[in-house]
Structure formats: structure tokens, C-alpha cells
Amino acid sequence: MAAIQNIVILTGAGISAESGIDTFRGAGGLWENHRVEDVATPEAFARDPDLVLRFYDMRRAAIQTREPNAAHAALARLDREWRGNLLIVTQNVDDLHERGGARRVLHMHGEHLNAWCTACDARSRWTGPLIDRPPCPVCGTPALRPDIVWFGEMPYRMEEIYDALRAADLFVSIGTSGAVYPAAGFVRNARDLGAATLELNLERSQGSGWFDESRLGPATELVPAWVGELLG
Ligand code: APR
């Protein structure tokens, strides 16, 4: 493999699965128990705000009882030791990458532990419930919503992500089904721009065919092994 300098890593729910956080589309996955349209769209929030707020209050509380796993720790080690550019683009809205020690993390779908004020647009760190319509810490208006990118909304910091993909020598996808765009298309952007591509996943994802290499297995085994290889 040519000299690697710049790495972009995309993570999905599969990297947090072994920490006990449900994925979306696996057996027993989140979207098996809830219809996306009922909880994860702006229309759902307009139609039944209490249902949506209760759903995200439950998820926000649940992630705070979970711990990062060996895959998160391995990416944090890579973040600490890698001398080149590294960006961990995560679709996940938990904070396990950060609690695992990673720093160069970009949450393209938002974060459970932020609240977004629909009155003043401020985002504030938030660990408690929103169902009781607490006042925005910045403007005082009781107009907070989950800081989650819902279906039909634009993911965050896409320009920054595409810049990183343009510069990438290596693109690695970890624990994602490749079911949701634009993230599912990043592998093609990267390979069209000359990056090597690697998938680490429990099973073949929808985009497997686009990767130079796919390694199948649990993230807590595959990710530490891959980081160990890379850091020699
Ligand atoms: N190790 C590695 N991969 C795993 C593990 C594991 N222990 N457990 C599950 N996986 C894999 C599954 O095989 C699957 O391919 O993780 C992937 C999880 O896929 P999804 O549940 O679809 O989650 P994700 O790809 O992150 O979903 C993308 O969809 O609903 C939206 O916004 C939501 O960010 C989410 C996006």
C-alpha cells in the first residue's frame, strides 16, 4: 500500500453495539421497535413533540449508562499516535468516541448530549430530559429540541467531510450498514479520488462491493488489530 498520510474513518452504530447501544437495522434494532417516520423526522416533531422528546430523552439517558469499548479505545490510540491527518466522521450520536479518548471526531448526525434551541439557534450541552420544555440556557425560551439530524435534514459539516475525503489516502468504514446517504456514498468519493478503502463490519454492508478490502467480525476484534497493523 502506498505511503499513507491522511486517513478518514467513518463509523456507524456497529462500533457502539458491543457497548450495549442498539443499532438501527440489526435484529431488535431501533427501527424495528419504532417507525422512523414517527420519531426521527421534523414532521414527527411537529405532529407529536411529546412522543419525539420522550424517545430522545430515553436514548440520551441510555447512552450515559454505557461505556466505550475496545474499538473506541483503539481509534483513540490511533488519534493520539497518528502523525498525519485523521478525521473520525461518525454517524453516531453517542459520545463514546470522545469518552474513549478520541479528539478528531465529527458528528455528522448531531449528538444526544446537545440541545438545539429553535428560538435562538444556540446549541448547549444537555444531559437531562427535554420533555418538560426547560428554558434554553442562552435565550431562556422553552424551545429546545434534540440536536439530532433527522431524516430530510442536512447532515452537519459536509464541506469539511468532503475536503477530508479529497485529501484522504485511506478511507475506513467501521460498523455501518451503508444504508443511509450521504455517508453511504463516502467510499465512492474516496476511491474516485484515489484513496485505498477498507471496511470493518460484522457482515457485508450494502456498499461492500466498493471497498478494496472487507474484514468481517466484531469491531472490538477488528479495530484494535487494524490499528495495531497501521501503527506497526
Ligand atoms: N461490530 C461491527 N459491526 C457491527 C457490530 C459489531 N459488534 N454489530 C453490528 N454491526 C454492523 C451491522 O452488521 C450493520 O452493518 O453495524 C451496522 C449497523 O448498521 P445500522 O444499524 O444501519 O446503523 P448505521 O449504519 O450507523 O445507520 C446509519 O441510519 O437511522 C440512521 O441516523 C441513523 O446514523 C444512523 C444511520
Side-chain angles (χ1 to χ4, degrees):
M1 188 179 289
I4 297 169
Q5 177 72 17
N6 305 326
I7 304 175
V8 174
I9 297 169
L10 173 68
T11 64
I15 200 169
S16 296
E18 292 164 88
S19 295
I21 297 181
D22 291 342
T23 62
F24 293 95
R25 294 171 184 84
L30 203 62
W31 297 147
E32 281 204 340
N33 310 325
H34 298 272
R35 283 164 27 88
V36 166
E37 307 75 47
D38 293 344
V39 290
T41 63
E43 295 75 17
F45 188 53
R47 183 173 59 244
D48 190 346
D50 279 15
L51 174 74
V52 174
L53 291 177
R54 286 191 204 288
F55 174 78
Y56 283 98
D57 284 355
M58 176 203 53
R59 300 281 294 160
R60 186 177 313 106
I63 65 163
Q64 297 177 69
T65 67
R66 304 300 181 194
E67 293 303 322
N69 62 52
H72 297 105
L75 291 189
R77 177 191 169 206
L78 182 64
D79 193 350
R80 276 193 306 277
E81 299 180 21
W82 188 254
R83 292 284 157 271
N85 292 324
L86 174 83
L87 182 62
I88 299 169
V89 179
T90 187
Q91 299 172 92
N92 299 342
V93 288
D94 61 55
D95 63 337
L96 297 190
H97 279 303
E98 291 85 351
R99 280 200 276 138
R103 293 286 167 270
R104 293 181 271 186
V105 180
L106 190 162
H107 286 269
M108 65 180 287
H109 288 168
E111 298 177 70
H112 273 317
L113 298 182
N114 276 356
W116 177 15
C117 180
T118 58
C120 73
D121 206 34
R123 283 164 175 79
S124 308
R125 183 159 175 79
W126 200 269
T127 55
L130 291 173
I131 188 67
D132 302 322
R133 303 323 191 266
C136 165
V138 174
C139 75
T141 315
L144 297 174
R145 62 162 268 187
D147 186 19
I148 301 289
V149 177
W150 286 328
F151 288 91
E153 295 183 324
M154 179 59 74
Y156 290 154
R157 300 165 63 183
M158 289 303 295
E159 270 319 299
E160 207 173 321
I161 294 170
Y162 286 122
D163 287 348
L165 289 170
R166 267 189 285 277
D169 309 303
L170 175 61
F171 174 76
V172 184
S173 176
I174 304 172
T176 181
S177 60
V180 174
Y181 285 80
F186 291 167
V187 56
R188 271 173 267 176
N189 302 122
R191 61 179 291 135
D192 290 351
L193 293 159
T197 55
L198 169 65
E199 176 181 57
L200 307 177
N201 209 53
L202 193 62
E203 59 207 356
R204 301 197 82 72
S205 72
Q206 294 184 27
S208 265
W210 295 96
F211 287 88
D212 300 324
E213 182 188 357
S214 282
R215 297 181 191 175
L216 302 185
T220 54
E221 287 172 22
L222 294 180
V223 181
W226 167 66
V227 169
E229 265 174 47
L230 200 63
L231 295 176

